[in-house]
């Protein structure tokens, strides 16, 4: 994970945000292009404790899809995604349309994620045994979900600017002199201030446009 984060980090950036769709919401019998075309935004949700700003871009990302193929195209007329020759090409084109200019790596695994015991069965009754969505609940008792398709991503994006900046603001309000445990652990005040400045600089690496200007104004006011 550390090496993968390093691969996605450049221009002073060191942190990536995680996102996932567990399971990837795919209708039974539909293709990957059909499902991706139904989304206006990314189908995964951020797992990291940061909010995705409106109109967000992405600097670099690594996306992994498991258990979802390209077969059985249903949409008429076909979209550009339906013209791709492989699942990797579908996902790569989709990411390029969302984040043009971003560095993106794509990995596709045919085998889905297993959800056999002791994996908890907290899934919707709309899910089939293979983790695909049904249009309506089945009249029969819901079968145990044995596997699910999953879409996961690691992203270096401006969303980390608010996360790191907020952490920096909270630490600025902390006075180490009031916490003897800091000094008992060998922390020097100068080292604390230096680490705080490094965190502020790191947060600035993820700022874009107006965010960068606001950060400079905050730094001047400090």
């Amino acid at each position: 994970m550390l090496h993968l984060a390093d691969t996605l980090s450049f221009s002073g950036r060191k942190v990536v945000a995680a996102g996932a769709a567990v399971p990837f919401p795919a209708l039974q019998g539909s293709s990957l292009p059909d499902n991706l075309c139904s989304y206006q935004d990314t189908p995964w949700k951020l797992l990291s404790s940061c909010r995705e700003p409106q109109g967000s871009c992405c600097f670099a990302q690594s996306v992994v899809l498991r258990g979802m193929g390209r077969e059985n195209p249903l949409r008429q007329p076909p979209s550009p995604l339906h013209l791709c020759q492989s699942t990797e090409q579908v996902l790569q084109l989709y990411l390029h349309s969302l984040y043009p200019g971003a560095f993106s790596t794509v990995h596709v695994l045919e085998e889905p994620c297993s959800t056999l015991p002791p994996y908890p069965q907290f899934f919707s009754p709309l899910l089939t045994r293979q983790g695909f969505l049904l249009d309506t609940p089945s009249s029969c008792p819901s079968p145990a979900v044995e596997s699910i398709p999953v879409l996961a991503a690691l992203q270096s994006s401006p969303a980390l600017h608010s996360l790191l900046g907020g952490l920096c603001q909270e630490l600025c309000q902390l006075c180490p002199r009031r916490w003897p445990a800091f000094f008992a652990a060998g922390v020097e005040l100068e080292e604390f201030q230096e680490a705080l400045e490094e965190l502020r600089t790191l947060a600035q690496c993820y700022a874009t446009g107006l965010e960068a200007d606001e950060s400079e104004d905050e730094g001047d006011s400090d």
Side-chain angles (χ1 to χ4, degrees):
M1 185 67 72
L2 179 61
H3 293 303
L4 180 56
D6 287 341
T7 302
L8 301 176
S9 301
F10 45 85
S11 300
R13 306 182 186 105
K14 302 178 181 179
V15 183
V16 292
V22 183
F24 174 61
L27 288 173
Q28 186 180 34
S30 64
S31 67
L32 179 60
D34 290 327
N35 287 281
L36 292 178
C37 285
S38 65
Y39 288 94
Q40 299 297 323
D41 202 351
T42 54
W44 61 75
K45 299 295 184 182
L46 277 175
L47 303 180
S48 305
S49 56
C50 51
R51 294 185 303 171
E52 190 76 23
Q54 292 184 350
S56 175
C57 65
C58 176
F59 307 122
Q61 60 189 339
S62 178
V63 178
V64 177
L65 175 67
R66 293 190 60 170
M68 185 70 195
R70 184 194 173 281
E71 64 279 0
N72 300 325
L74 301 177
R75 183 180 295 271
Q76 296 292 335
S79 71
L81 294 179
H82 290 83
L83 302 179
C84 295
Q85 299 300 314
S86 66
T87 306
E88 289 84 354
Q89 291 178 1
V90 172
L91 196 52
Q92 191 76 48
L93 180 60
Y94 175 72
L95 294 174
H96 178 72
S97 66
L98 287 179
Y99 305 104
F103 169 74
S104 300
T105 63
V106 169
H107 304 277
V108 175
L109 304 176
E110 293 184 4
E111 184 179 358
C113 288
S114 174
T115 55
L116 295 174
Y119 200 97
Q121 290 293 317
F122 45 46
F123 300 107
S124 165
L126 289 174
L127 252 60
T128 67
R129 192 184 300 273
Q130 291 75 36
F132 293 99
L133 288 170
L134 297 171
D135 292 327
T136 57
S138 174
S139 57
C140 301
S142 300
V145 179
E146 298 179 352
S147 63
I148 54 173
V150 172
L151 184 65
L154 289 178
Q155 288 186 317
S156 174
S157 74
L160 290 161
H161 174 255
S162 59
L163 174 65
L164 298 173
L167 177 60
C168 185
Q169 291 179 1
E170 292 182 9
L171 291 174
C172 285
Q173 300 174 5
L174 180 65
C175 181
R177 294 189 180 91
R178 297 181 179 179
W179 303 90
F182 273 91
F183 301 103
V187 178
E188 298 291 340
L189 183 59
E190 292 183 358
E191 293 177 347
F192 177 78
Q193 296 296 340
E194 181 179 348
L196 193 61
E197 185 59 34
E198 291 178 354
L199 180 60
R200 181 183 290 110
T201 301
L202 180 61
Q204 184 64 20
C205 291
Y206 294 89
T208 58
L210 183 59
E211 291 177 342
D213 296 336
E214 292 176 349
S215 298
E216 291 179 359
D217 293 339
E218 291 176 0
D220 294 339
S221 63
D222 293 342

